Amino acid sequence: MTTPLPDMSPGNCTIDYSIPYHWIMEYSPFVSVWFYIYIVFFVVEQNGSLKLSHQHTAILNHHFWNFIHQIYVCIFYRPVAHLPMFGFQIGGVVRTWELNAIELWIVWVWVAFVLLLSMVHLFYARLYTISRMMVLNKYRSLIHLSTVVFILSIFVSLGCGSSILLVFLSTPFVVQIKMGAFNTYNSRIIFCPDFAIVDLSMWQTILPNALAAGGLAVLFFIMVFMGIASLIVLSTKSPQSSVKTLRTQKQLMQSFVIQVCTHTMFLFIPVVTCAILAFFKNLTNVAIYTTIFCLVHQGVITIIVFAVCTPMTTKVAKSCNGL
């Protein structure tokens, strides 16, 4: 028989809203929505038709899930980090709905995996588009392999996204996690229903987080594979290729490099930094909020970078065409 959690209603759970992170996150979607509207017109203009190609459809799909992720994290969930127990309390509009923070956290994990899967789809769509441009495609087997890898990434996302359900939808495990954390940190906020604890000293949290981290690592290496395959195909030049094809190759190469650099700087580096700080037990709220801000707004950052760099790459491509 499990020990019941102390009865604490959400009204007794105190949230510190003095953190600048909150008002920045709360209002940022209303500012960034104009960037997402801009990307729709930008993609249609680049495509040259309302009937979008596979690549441009993948771009819009990726930014759509970026926007959904931003709305969910900034307005609905808006988690409040608590250290040293490393937990999250609801700080968004749903805090008044008496929802469970763990269930909302599961939704966040699912949305994050869908977002990463849309990124893999974007890499695959670009590779597929590049392969169709080639007059003599020497890498047909590589393209077929990338299709298999893309399908594999879908199952990886489904499997690893579901891994967190193994523990956090089990009430006895939740009780054990919260009781163990309370015995360690002696903080009654742990028993709030809108508080999710991530105690990495217990197997109940180590297992799902390890599976989720493994899934993220697999998706990352799949994107690396797609990226290398794209560079290999792009580096191929054929005497039969038209000037337009070669110019498009240059634009795609530059676009690809811009995207990889942007995502690496604002998506992976903050996460790795937080993981290293947590390993050495130097993780602070500043690092956590900075990472969340970068993760949530990396879509907007990518749009801004593309808006600045695309005219430059177009100018370079035209100058190369005139040589």
Side-chain angles (χ1 to χ4, degrees):
M1 184 175 179
T2 59
T3 304
L5 294 175
D7 184 17
M8 288 190 69
S9 62
N12 295 326
C13 302
T14 304
I15 300 178
D16 181 10
Y17 295 106
S18 62
I19 306 173
Y21 156 84
H22 286 283
W23 69 265
I24 293 174
M25 283 294 186
E26 184 174 7
Y27 294 107
S28 59
F30 300 99
V31 176
S32 63
V33 65
W34 302 107
F35 292 98
Y36 287 103
I37 293 174
Y38 163 78
I39 199 66
V40 175
F41 292 99
F42 177 80
V43 168
V44 172
E45 180 186 6
Q46 290 289 308
N47 186 73
S49 171
L50 291 176
K51 186 179 180 181
L52 298 178
S53 64
H54 186 193
Q55 179 192 358
H56 290 96
T57 301
I59 293 174
L60 289 185
N61 177 56
H62 174 56
H63 286 295
F64 169 78
W65 285 107
N66 263 313
F67 185 64
I68 294 297
H69 182 244
Q70 185 184 63
I71 292 296
Y72 182 79
V73 176
C74 294
I75 297 179
F76 285 89
Y77 195 4
R78 207 160 78 245
V80 184
H82 290 268
L83 293 174
M85 75 277 292
F86 197 66
F88 290 100
Q89 187 171 351
I90 302 171
V93 296
V94 296
R95 67 180 181 272
T96 60
W97 299 357
E98 298 188 4
L99 296 176
N100 194 306
I102 294 177
E103 295 171 355
L104 291 176
W105 190 24
I106 292 173
V107 175
W108 186 6
V109 171
W110 273 106
V111 173
F113 268 101
V114 173
L115 175 61
L116 285 175
L117 186 59
S118 72
M119 193 182 300
V120 175
H121 179 218
L122 179 57
F123 275 66
Y124 170 72
R126 179 178 284 111
L127 176 58
Y128 182 78
T129 302
I130 293 170
S131 67
R132 292 180 64 106
M133 290 169 43
M134 301 294 104
V135 177
L136 296 175
N137 192 350
K138 300 188 298 182
Y139 301 102
R140 194 170 300 277
S141 58
L142 182 61
I143 306 303
H144 293 326
L145 177 61
S146 67
T147 303
V148 175
V149 171
F150 174 63
I151 295 175
L152 174 65
S153 68
I154 296 176
F155 287 100
V156 169
S157 298
L158 290 174
C160 295
S162 303
S163 66
I164 202 166
L165 301 177
L166 296 175
V167 171
F168 291 120
L169 287 186
S170 174
T171 302
F173 283 160
V174 172
V175 173
Q176 293 177 26
I177 293 170
K178 290 204 169 188
M179 288 299 297
F182 177 75
N183 293 332
T184 303
Y185 302 108
N186 195 30
S187 175
R188 287 185 60 82
I189 196 174
I190 292 173
F191 297 118
C192 291
D194 57 350
F195 185 85
I197 188 73
V198 186
D199 190 347
L200 296 181
S201 65
M202 304 179 66
W203 73 267
Q204 291 93 338
T205 51
I206 293 176
L207 176 60
N209 282 283
L211 291 174
L216 294 176
V218 171
L219 290 179
F220 172 75
F221 285 113
I222 287 176
M223 282 187 279
V224 171
F225 166 77
M226 296 283 189
I228 294 175
S230 298
L231 292 176
I232 292 175
V233 177
L234 272 174
S235 62
T236 304
K237 294 183 179 181
S238 171
Q240 289 83 6
S241 299
S242 65
V243 174
K244 181 180 179 181
T245 299
L246 294 175
R247 185 178 63 187
T248 306
Q249 281 182 259
K250 292 180 182 294
Q251 289 177 327
L252 285 172
M253 176 77 82
Q254 292 160 345
S255 173
F256 172 76
V257 172
I258 291 171
Q259 183 186 18
V260 170
C261 292
T262 303
H263 282 310
T264 300
M265 289 178 60
F266 295 100
L267 188 62
F268 297 108
I269 290 180
V271 174
V272 172
T273 302
C274 259
I276 294 174
L277 291 175
F279 179 79
F280 289 103
K281 297 183 179 181
N282 290 322
L283 188 61
T284 63
N285 278 334
V286 174
I288 293 175
Y289 291 140
T290 302
T291 300
I292 293 177
F293 184 87
C294 291
L295 291 178
V296 172
H297 295 85
Q298 55 89 20
V300 177
I301 296 169
T302 304
I303 293 173
I304 295 174
V305 172
F306 266 99
V308 173
C309 295
T310 297
M312 298 168 54
T313 57
T314 303
K315 182 178 180 181
V316 171
K318 288 182 178 180
S319 64
C320 292
N321 185 31
L323 294 178

